[in-house]
């Protein structure tokens, strides 16, 4: 498993200036290499290396060659990321990547040596208590970032540890939804009412603001959606925390792509995005928290989980009516979400043989844990793939 820790560097004024200049030059070189790749329509590291390495070394002899290699890799990745459709551009103080060779970190000694245009720069950093468990993890790549307002440098270090191999076989099924955010096969219901109430509170205001369309209305709209986001995030944190603490080893959930909320109008579209985002976030929190304590989360094929009778296995669309499930074959009656959760657990058990733990996961709630320490954190939500929450204005 991978984690990212954020270290605030303590540097002399002179060293800060050196790193600033190194950053500016690195980003200038990034732009030059990206331009070459874009003009020649290639993101191949080998061919870009062949064509740009020596000219760049000649043009900027002060740039350490190992740093140059890192810049080239990042430029190639950036070109690949945009599929060569546009020219990736950096800013003078965009973060720069340091691979292991140019960045010598000792978490135990709390010291780091960084290559720069004026030789090696030494820095120290405090380690908060919360990070102490990471001291013996393997170090991967690091990224140096700079906050101009605070005139402070930060080092984001990716660290790695082998995931625990032994996984038990007690499976809990979890059904996600809107009326109930989560229902577990162990009969626990997490009601969606608190979220629904908060949304209802803002829905009217949002509609009004959307019609207004002025600059301040848009700003207020963004503020509201951030507030809603924070609320949903907190609910997801609480639910996932409670679920992973349950006496089970493996948590089975439906593949997210199965959850679709129909929508036509703008207002409903917003709800749909928020729901997708929220489902995705809950899944990430579950994975992250489960993994930390040596448990795991698996995604299962969602077909028929709501139509199948969890008692006799009979599949029939008419078995489900709203919140209730009534099997036409065996007469079994149960809450529809609970029935689905039990089916999900069943599929999870049968799929245990081919269990894989997907990697890597980004940190997300370490921010919370580090509040009050002197380490700065970027207050970013976990990476949100599809269905990222945006306001329609
Ligand atoms: Zn049945």
């Amino acid at each position: 498993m991978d984690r990212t820790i954020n270290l605030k560097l303590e540097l002399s004024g002179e060293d800060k200036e050196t790193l600033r200049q190194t950053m500016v030059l690195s980003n200038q070189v990034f732009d030059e290499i990206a331009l070459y790749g874009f003009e020649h329509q290639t993101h191949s590291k080998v061919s870009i290396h062949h064509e740009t390495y020596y000219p760049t070394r000649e043009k900027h002899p002060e740039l350490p060659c190992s740093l140059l290699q890192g810049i080239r890799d990042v430029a190639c990745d950036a070109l690949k990321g945009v599929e060569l459709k546009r020219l990736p551009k950096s800013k003078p103080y965009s973060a720069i990547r340091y691979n292991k060779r140019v960045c010598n970190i000792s978490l135990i000694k709390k010291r780091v040596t960084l290559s720069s245009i004026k030789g090696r720069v030494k820095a120290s950093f405090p380690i908060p208590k919360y990070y102490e468990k990471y001291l013996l993890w393997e170090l991967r790549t690091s990224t140096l970032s700079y906050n101009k307002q605070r005139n402070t440098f930060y080092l984001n270090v990716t660290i790695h540890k082998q995931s625990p191999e032994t996984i038990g076989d007690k499976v809990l099924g979890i059904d996600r939804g809107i009326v109930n955010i989560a229902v577990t096969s162990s009969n626990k219901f997490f009601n969606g009412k608190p979220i629904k109430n908060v949304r209802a509170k803002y829905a009217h205001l949002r509609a009004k603001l959307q019609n207004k369309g002025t600059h301040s209305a848009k700003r207020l709209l963004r503020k509201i959606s951030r507030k809603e986001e924070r609320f949903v995030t907190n609910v997801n944190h609480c639910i996932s925390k409670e679920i992973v603490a349950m006496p089970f080893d493996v948590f089975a959930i439906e593949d997210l792509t199965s959850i679709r909320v129909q929508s036509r109008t703008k207002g409903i579209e917003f709800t749909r995005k928020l729901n997708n985002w929220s489902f995705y976030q809950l899944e990430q929190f579950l994975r992250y928290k489960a993994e930390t304590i040596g448990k795991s989360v698996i995604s299962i094929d969602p077909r028929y989980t709501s139509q199948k009778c969890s008692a006799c296995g009979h599949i029939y669309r008419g078995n489900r009516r709203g919140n209730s499930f009534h099997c036409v074959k065996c007469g079994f009656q149960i809450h529809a979400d609970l029935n689905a959760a039990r089916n999900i657990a069943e599929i999870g058990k049968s799929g245990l043989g081919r269990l894989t733990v997907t990697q890597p996961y980004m940190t997300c709630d370490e921010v919370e844990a580090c509040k009050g320490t002197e380490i700065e954190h970027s207050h970013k939500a976990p990476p949100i793939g599809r269905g990222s929450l945006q306001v329609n204005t």
Side-chain angles (χ1 to χ4, degrees):
M1 52 181 138
D2 288 0
R3 293 279 181 276
T4 304
I5 56 175
N6 197 341
L7 307 171
K8 183 179 176 181
L9 301 184
E10 285 163 359
L11 291 150
S12 70
E14 195 185 331
D15 286 342
K16 278 184 186 175
E17 184 52 35
T18 305
L19 284 184
R20 264 196 301 271
Q21 287 172 14
T22 307
M23 248 181 164
V24 172
L25 179 62
S26 297
N27 284 308
Q28 187 192 330
V29 170
F30 171 92
D31 285 347
E32 288 169 13
I33 295 176
L35 182 65
Y36 173 88
F38 183 68
E39 280 179 344
H40 294 79
Q41 285 294 295
T42 175
H43 54 69
S44 152
K45 282 176 187 163
V46 178
S47 63
I48 288 182
H49 171 80
H50 272 296
E51 295 304 322
T52 62
Y53 185 77
Y54 289 107
T56 312
R57 290 282 291 151
E58 222 163 86
K59 194 172 166 194
H60 311 286
E62 68 275 37
L63 190 71
C65 59
S66 42
L67 208 49
L68 170 57
Q69 285 163 15
I71 298 167
R72 181 204 59 221
D73 289 350
V74 176
C76 292
D77 290 347
L79 285 161
K80 201 175 173 183
V82 298
E83 294 173 337
L84 298 169
K85 280 178 187 146
R86 57 185 175 79
L87 176 64
K89 278 247 171 203
S90 68
K91 289 181 185 137
Y93 293 122
S94 293
I96 55 172
R97 190 192 289 180
Y98 273 89
N99 58 32
K100 266 197 249 171
R101 268 185 302 161
V102 269
C103 167
N104 204 334
I105 311 173
S106 168
L107 292 181
I108 292 166
K109 291 180 184 160
K110 302 176 186 175
R111 274 209 301 264
V112 60
T113 318
L114 298 157
S115 286
S116 79
I117 53 169
K118 287 182 184 157
R120 292 179 172 264
V121 169
K122 283 184 187 149
S124 57
F125 47 81
I127 291 226
K129 228 180 167 45
Y130 181 74
Y131 280 164
E132 280 173 5
K133 61 184 173 191
Y134 297 130
L135 289 183
L136 297 173
W137 286 37
E138 184 194 331
L139 301 165
R140 294 265 165 103
T141 51
S142 310
T143 314
L144 181 71
S145 63
Y146 177 58
N147 184 314
K148 217 170 161 183
Q149 278 80 39
R150 293 181 189 154
N151 187 22
T152 307
F153 284 91
Y154 300 92
L155 198 64
N156 290 288
V157 188
T158 308
I159 50 175
H160 175 83
K161 189 176 119 181
Q162 207 76 32
S163 298
E165 302 267 319
T166 45
I167 289 170
D169 56 357
K170 284 190 77 188
V171 180
L172 181 74
I174 303 160
D175 180 59
R176 288 172 289 174
I178 295 163
V179 179
N180 292 301
I181 302 170
V183 176
T184 72
S185 53
S186 59
N187 301 354
K188 172 85 188 170
F189 286 70
F190 294 93
N191 198 290
K193 234 179 192 156
I195 285 190
K196 208 179 144 197
N197 289 344
V198 166
R199 282 188 197 163
K201 198 171 113 190
Y202 291 121
H204 177 68
L205 184 58
R206 182 181 301 111
K208 230 166 77 183
L209 289 170
Q210 264 166 352
N211 286 336
K212 226 173 171 182
T214 61
H215 187 71
S216 67
K218 278 178 189 170
R219 205 173 53 215
L220 194 55
L221 212 51
R222 277 197 295 273
K223 198 173 160 193
I224 290 173
S225 66
R226 275 200 299 272
K227 226 170 166 181
E228 278 194 53
E229 244 179 79
R230 277 200 300 276
F231 181 78
V232 173
T233 300
N234 188 43
V235 169
N236 279 339
H237 262 306
C238 296
I239 293 177
S240 54
K241 192 173 167 189
E242 195 174 334
I243 289 178
V244 299
M246 291 176 175
F248 292 87
D249 312 301
V250 178
F251 302 98
I253 47 172
E254 289 175 297
D255 194 346
L256 180 80
T257 42
S258 67
I259 302 172
R260 295 201 192 285
V261 186
Q262 294 298 321
S263 67
R264 276 202 186 86
T265 67
K266 223 178 185 181
I268 299 174
E269 173 68 11
F270 177 85
T271 314
R272 187 189 67 80
K273 275 186 181 158
L274 191 64
N275 280 328
N276 275 353
W277 172 81
S278 154
F279 288 141
Y280 185 70
Q281 190 188 48
L282 178 62
E283 180 172 336
Q284 282 209 312
F285 286 177
L286 276 171
R287 285 186 186 279
Y288 174 69
K289 288 185 209 287
E291 186 200 69
T292 307
I293 52 171
K295 298 182 176 186
S296 72
V297 173
I298 53 171
S299 302
I300 58 108
D301 183 345
R303 272 173 298 176
Y304 310 123
T305 48
S306 61
Q307 298 170 21
K308 188 175 157 187
C309 169
S310 58
C312 74
H314 180 63
I315 297 172
Y316 177 60
R317 190 185 287 269
N319 279 348
R320 177 175 188 163
R321 270 207 196 109
N323 282 336
S324 69
F325 185 93
H326 188 174
C327 178
V328 290
K329 197 174 173 201
C330 72
F332 182 60
Q333 282 187 45
I334 187 173
H335 190 286
D337 293 342
L338 185 56
N339 180 65
R342 289 187 182 178
N343 284 329
I344 292 167
E346 220 33 60
I347 301 169
K349 278 174 199 160
S350 67
L352 265 189
R354 48 194 158 77
L355 174 66
T356 54
V357 184
T358 21
Q359 301 280 344
Y361 307 123
M362 302 286 288
T363 46
C364 43
D365 58 2
E366 292 189 354
V367 176
E368 214 103 4
C370 274
K371 264 180 198 159
T373 70
E374 46 191 321
I375 291 291
E376 293 291 328
H377 266 278
S378 52
H379 282 256
K380 270 183 197 155
I384 292 160
R386 48 203 150 176
S388 159
L389 181 65
Q390 268 162 2
V391 186
N392 299 308
T393 46

